Amino acid sequence: ISVGSGAATSGKGGAVSVSVGSGDSGAGGTLSLSAGESTADTKAGGSLSISAGHGSSTTAGQGGALSLSSGKGKKVTGGHMVISSGAGSSSTSGAITIRSANAGHKGVSGVLVFSSGTSSSGSTGTISIGSGAATSGKAGSMSITVGSGDSGAGGLLTVSAGQSTVHTGGAVGVQTGYG
């Protein structure tokens, strides 16, 4: 099944919109995108690809933006967003890679920002990055490194705790594992 809009030769390409209905006394409709399962030996399940358009102009072409966001909660918590790889029932689970693309011969590579939101009357959200525990093997390692420079200084690594205007500033703690 193919759903798409037509190409434009001297104008803007057509838009495609897929939406589900809202609910006034119950939950809004669900939108589900899923690729097909494969039961054949040595064959993978179907792929699902979501990508923004290329900007192919050689003078001012800019790639399209891709935005994934969960719903806003007007009086209670906003919607959760979960990005997870597939489990391996008898093998390794799938990998997740988050990275910006390499820069061309001019410019710098894209910035990666991991931050929780601000709060006007309470605590801000926590960011937790860690490897999983192992029950019969070695726990996963974590590595934070900055890049080297062949014609300039190497990258800077800064670890700092937050300041407070009414209480003690945050602490920075480094602890080795128990033996």
Side-chain angles (χ1 to χ4, degrees), residues 29-144:
T30 299
L31 176 62
S32 177
L33 297 176
S34 61
E37 177 185 2
S38 174
T39 58
D41 292 340
T42 69
K43 299 298 181 182
S47 298
L48 178 61
S49 176
I50 300 174
S51 61
H54 299 291
S56 56
S57 169
T58 57
T59 56
Q62 179 175 339
L66 177 62
S67 176
L68 299 176
S69 61
S70 57
K72 181 192 296 185
K74 192 168 186 178
K75 289 190 176 180
V76 292
T77 306
H80 298 287
M81 178 180 290
V82 178
I83 300 175
S84 62
S85 65
S89 58
S90 60
S91 183
T92 307
S93 61
I96 294 179
T97 301
I98 300 175
R99 66 180 180 90
S100 64
N102 297 335
H105 65 282
K106 292 183 179 180
V108 297
S109 60
V111 176
L112 280 179
V113 178
F114 296 93
S115 66
S116 63
T118 61
S119 175
S120 59
S121 61
S123 300
T124 60
T126 300
I127 296 178
S128 178
I129 301 175
S131 64
T135 56
S136 59
K138 189 171 72 170
S141 299
M142 274 191 62
S143 176
I144 300 175

Side-chain angles (χ1 to χ4, degrees), residues 144-148 154-158:
I144 300 175
T145 59
V146 294
S148 59
L156 176 67
L157 176 62
T158 302

Side-chain angles (χ1 to χ4, degrees), residues 163-179:
Q163 66 178 14
S164 173
T165 57
V166 294
H167 291 291
T168 305
V172 174
V174 179
Q175 180 177 324
T176 61
Y178 294 104

